[in-house]
Amino acid sequence: MARIPIFLMGLVVIWAALAEAEYMIYKDATKPLNSRIKDLMSRMTLEEKIGQMTQIERGVASAEVMKDYFIGSVLSGGGSVPSKQASAETWINMVNELQKGALSTRLGIPMIYGIDAVHGHNNVYKATIFPHNVGLGATRDPNLVKRIGAATALEVRATGIPYVFAPCIAVCRDPRWGRCYESYSEDPKLVQAMTEIVSGLQGDIPANSSKGVPFVAGKTKVAACAKHYVGDGGTTKGINENNTQISRHGLLSIHMPGYYNSIIKGVSTVMVSYSSWNGVKMHANRDMVTGFLKNILRFKGFVISDWEGIDRITSPPHANYSYSIQAGISAGIDMIMVPNNYKEFIDGLTSHVKNKVIPMSRIDDAVTRILRVKFTMGLFENPLADNSLVNELGSQEHRELAREAVRKSLVLLKNGESAAEPLLPLPKKATKILVAGSHADNLGYQCGGWTIEWQGLGGNNLTSGTTILTAIKNTVDPSTEVVYKENPDADFVKSNNFSYAIVVVGEPPYAETFGDSLNLTISEPGPSTIQNVCGTVKCVTVIISGRPVVIQPYVSLMDALVAAWLPGSEGQGVADALFGDYGFTGTLSRTWFKTVDQLPMNIGDQHYDPLFPFGFGLSTKPTKTI
């Protein structure tokens, strides 16, 4: 038998060792999920683990930062874009540039990029803007919401982003809250039904899946985020980020049901609320985050903070950041939306672990959950986006879906003085009609907050879409003269011999705390427009608002009244119903109060005395009116 030289044997041993070293279980997609997580966790340093727990804003991110700090996630805040009117390709290039930084680290763990897509891909120029949730609740159509989730996922993926901070499953119990339009309803059962959007965004969870395990069905779907856990819609007087005073039974029966369903559907992440429950900040509430969400509900995805959420554990915010880190991480938050001062966060958390203030087991729980979501959604196999979906952004098919959602969300509150004399549907053929009001020809106003900019914008040059005025002109007979005057005086209305008028008024755009309102009035000149027009000629008033507003003083002046909520980019859906191409079918997902003194007032309350009750909505039949 020939002898193998010793130096060759040595080479064989070295080669075998190298082959063994190169094979990493976590990189092998054929291996079981838990084996991949365990293998990767065993290789990670504390520095790498803490990097995974850190989410930073794109404004402070770069490929170098991703690499040097092992950053696990990046986000776009409201209105934070790579460039004004950025194309899908520009978004993809930005996300991939950051991703390459993450992949260049020792272990090559991909980062996850997140964005608020709360009514379509709302930060992005030319994306389809769907009605806000308050309108979708009025459709009573979970399948529609699921289809909107699927369309939104495609548009988000079109820009290279795999994670959205949606849906908001708040149960808004007081319309004075500036986020009320982000809530489907005051009724927990209706909110629960609308969690179908999770399946639209992520895909339907396989039948044999364990409950509570995150699920994302590939490259046309996104990881979703149920928010804001828990009780965000129940704060005193609707004050944003404030205190929800309610019994444990009340919290679980009113504010929790949407989470049960979202978790069953495999929601990947849950975002913690800025608000407090009975004086305890949710961001520091270990009983609710670890005890209830993780242990009792067996949620296996990751828990993320809100924007600077741990900072606000103290008052004033950031007053004792070391304590905030300890309280937030100890409560069970896995990923911190820092979003700017990431070095301070990383240093503070590292110090807490080294000084045994926070146990390593808590860090391992957090990172295990983050990696579980990343592996599940295929980020390790497909970390970089390509241009294959760019044509999905603002596609005609999605705009048609949004238009369908608009017309199904409209609620007809009044139609003539009696059923025998309805005003709607309006005749398309008329000599001359008046369109009036601040919201009739204002795309930004009809989209509301969280559109291109965080607070929303006024005007018609923010993105592409159809204003209600344009929709009316598209719909009436070519022989009908359409006169538009934003705020006509009564003399103008009288002297023009109009066949009828359409008045479109409401709230200006707002988001979060900026929308908190104790009076809920329609902004001027809305009320004077209603009086000048509806006091003079037959009129239908269309209210554009994120919630019920004070209209009782004006209802008697109007012949017809439509609640259109915040319909988004496809104003044609409003004209579809006004002129009878489709019937009105929407019903109130919120109680419409008489006066703000009645608030809070929700269905089932003893003092329930609404102007229009929960579930109210007149219907019309489609007609081929000429």
Side-chain angles (χ1 to χ4, degrees):
M1 189 173 106
R3 293 189 171 215
I4 300 169
I6 289 172
F7 80 93
L8 277 179
M9 283 184 67
L11 282 174
V12 169
V13 170
I14 291 165
W15 179 83
L18 283 171
E20 177 67 24
E22 279 171 14
Y23 175 71
M24 298 181 180
I25 292 171
Y26 80 90
K27 290 189 173 180
D28 185 346
T30 66
K31 293 296 181 196
L33 175 68
N34 287 337
S35 302
R36 297 179 77 186
I37 295 170
K38 191 175 176 185
D39 177 59
L40 181 50
M41 288 288 290
S42 72
R43 300 171 187 274
M44 293 175 76
T45 63
L46 176 61
E47 193 180 6
E48 287 164 333
K49 288 176 179 177
I50 288 175
Q52 283 301 301
M53 297 170 68
T54 309
Q55 185 181 65
I56 66 174
E57 217 287 322
R58 55 156 293 283
V60 297
S62 67
E64 292 71 37
V65 169
M66 303 304 290
K67 183 183 180 187
D68 293 348
Y69 293 91
F70 309 102
I71 299 296
S73 184
V74 181
L75 85 149
S76 275
S80 178
V81 298
S83 60
K84 199 169 167 59
Q85 301 186 351
S87 66
E89 291 87 351
T90 301
W91 279 94
I92 289 168
N93 292 341
M94 176 197 68
V95 175
N96 282 349
E97 171 78 9
L98 298 174
Q99 187 66 282
K100 285 170 187 169
L103 297 175
S104 71
T105 55
R106 181 177 72 94
L107 296 170
I109 303 171
M111 67 92 185
I112 182 171
Y113 196 104
I115 196 163
D116 287 282
V118 295
H119 62 142
H121 197 9
N122 51 259
N123 269 299
V124 175
Y125 183 62
K126 288 192 173 173
T128 308
I129 306 296
F130 292 92
H132 269 297
N133 289 356
V134 65
L136 297 180
T139 70
R140 299 294 200 284
D141 189 342
N143 177 258
L144 172 69
V145 167
K146 183 177 181 179
R147 287 186 287 140
I148 288 170
T152 300
L154 282 170
E155 297 210 10
V156 172
R157 282 286 194 172
T159 58
I161 296 171
Y163 176 30
V164 298
F165 307 124
C168 178
I169 52 172
V171 181
C172 173
R173 303 290 285 178
D174 193 323
R176 291 174 290 187
W177 186 36
R179 301 194 83 147
C180 202
Y181 63 75
E182 297 184 54
S183 166
Y184 293 107
S185 179
E186 69 194 42
D187 175 30
K189 288 193 178 64
L190 183 49
V191 172
Q192 222 171 358
M194 292 303 186
T195 59
E196 268 300 285
I197 193 169
V198 172
S199 302
L201 291 164
Q202 298 193 153
D204 286 306
I205 194 162
N208 57 352
S209 288
S210 304
K211 297 293 179 268
V213 176
F215 175 75
V216 182
K219 290 197 286 184
T220 61
K221 298 293 181 181
V222 292
C225 179
K227 68 184 190 183
H228 308 87
Y229 184 85
V230 60
D232 50 345
T235 58
T236 304
K237 293 185 179 175
I239 297 168
N240 192 40
E241 304 183 20
N242 211 273
N243 187 33
T244 297
Q245 286 190 286
I246 196 169
S247 67
R248 188 179 183 88
H249 172 74
L251 188 79
L252 300 189
S253 60
I254 293 172
H255 298 284
M256 194 66 80
Y259 290 94
Y260 303 150
N261 286 49
S262 297
I263 290 165
I264 288 166
K265 292 175 200 293
V267 76
S268 296
T269 72
V270 170
M271 184 184 290
V272 182
S273 178
Y274 287 130
S275 57
S276 304
W277 173 42
N278 294 341
V280 179
K281 293 269 188 184
M282 285 308 309
H283 272 75
N285 193 328
R286 191 173 189 283
D287 173 47
M288 292 310 298
V289 177
T290 297
F292 198 83
L293 180 62
K294 290 184 173 181
N295 296 345
I296 293 177
L297 298 187
R298 299 193 176 176
F299 172 64
K300 295 290 192 290
F302 68 79
V303 179
I304 187 168
S305 83
D306 207 332
W307 177 280
E308 294 180 348
I310 63 166
D311 303 51
R312 302 190 202 190
I313 289 170
T314 60
S315 185
H318 207 81
N320 184 344
Y321 196 56
S322 175
Y323 168 74
S324 289
I325 294 169
Q326 178 194 339
I329 300 294
S330 299
I333 302 172
D334 305 310
M335 183 181 282
I336 304 297
M337 192 183 290
V338 177
N340 296 312
N341 299 324
Y342 57 90
K343 292 177 191 172
E344 184 186 14
F345 169 73
I346 289 168
D347 290 347
L349 182 52
T350 304
S351 169
H352 283 327
V353 176
K354 287 184 172 171
N355 292 324
K356 298 191 167 40
V357 174
I358 292 172
M360 198 65 204
S361 58
R362 174 71 272 272
I363 302 300
D364 288 344
D365 170 55
V367 180
T368 296
R369 289 165 175 276
I370 292 164
L371 294 177
R372 182 178 293 129
V373 170
K374 290 183 177 185
F375 278 122
T376 299
M377 62 195 295
L379 262 185
F380 281 80
E381 288 67 54
N382 296 294
L384 296 171
D386 58 40
N387 290 0
S388 61
L389 294 173
V390 293
N391 291 336
E392 296 288 350
L393 187 71
S395 73
Q396 193 54 39
E397 188 182 348
H398 296 163
R399 291 186 183 281
E400 288 299 328
L401 176 61
R403 179 175 170 180
E404 176 191 345
V406 172
R407 60 178 177 255
K408 287 182 173 177
S409 68
L410 303 172
V411 181
L412 181 57
L413 297 173
K414 182 180 180 181
N415 192 13
E417 290 307 316
S418 68
E421 297 175 27
L423 179 64
L424 301 178
L426 297 166
K428 292 180 183 176
K429 195 164 189 173
T431 312
K432 184 162 58 167
I433 66 173
L434 172 64
V435 180
S438 51
H439 290 55
D441 190 32
N442 197 313
L443 188 64
Y445 280 14
Q446 74 189 43
C447 289
W450 289 110
T451 308
I452 305 299
E453 298 285 353
W454 174 41
Q455 291 295 322
L457 294 161
N460 291 333
N461 60 355
L462 70 162
T463 190
S464 54
T466 305
T467 69
I468 293 167
L469 174 65
T470 301
I472 292 166
K473 288 177 174 176
N474 290 344
T475 307
V476 295
D477 188 86
S479 66
T480 301
E481 184 186 350
V482 179
V483 176
Y484 170 61
K485 198 160 177 68
E486 190 171 320
N487 186 24
D489 58 34
D491 290 340
F492 174 84
V493 181
K494 275 179 198 151
S495 62
N496 265 280
N497 202 21
F498 292 111
S499 305
Y500 58 82
I502 302 169
V503 176
V504 191
V505 294
E507 297 186 296
Y510 54 80
E512 300 191 42
T513 307
F514 293 91
D516 286 358
S517 169
L518 293 176
N519 60 32
L520 293 178
T521 51
I522 297 169
S523 43
E524 278 292 352
S528 56
T529 307
I530 293 170
Q531 283 167 324
N532 291 344
V533 177
C534 298
T536 311
V537 67
K538 269 191 187 172
C539 88
V540 52
T541 300
V542 179
I543 304 286
I544 305 291
S545 68
R547 53 203 164 184
V549 288
V550 174
I551 54 168
Q552 190 188 31
Y554 323 115
V555 173
S556 60
L557 290 170
M558 308 165 186
D559 297 279
L561 172 61
V562 176
W565 314 110
L566 297 169
S569 60
E570 305 312 304
Q572 192 65 47
V574 177
D576 284 344
L578 287 179
F579 292 97
D581 289 336
Y582 294 84
F584 281 91
T585 56
T587 53
L588 289 179
S589 60
R590 309 206 52 77
T591 297
W592 205 296
F593 58 87
K594 291 175 180 172
T595 70
V596 288
D597 301 339
Q598 296 175 295
L599 299 175
M601 177 176 65
N602 295 286
I603 183 73
D605 288 352
Q606 282 189 320
H607 67 290
Y608 199 69
D609 180 28
L611 182 61
F612 299 107
F614 175 88
F616 179 82
L618 303 172
S619 59
T620 59
K621 292 273 188 291
T623 167
K624 293 295 171 192
T625 314
I626 31 175

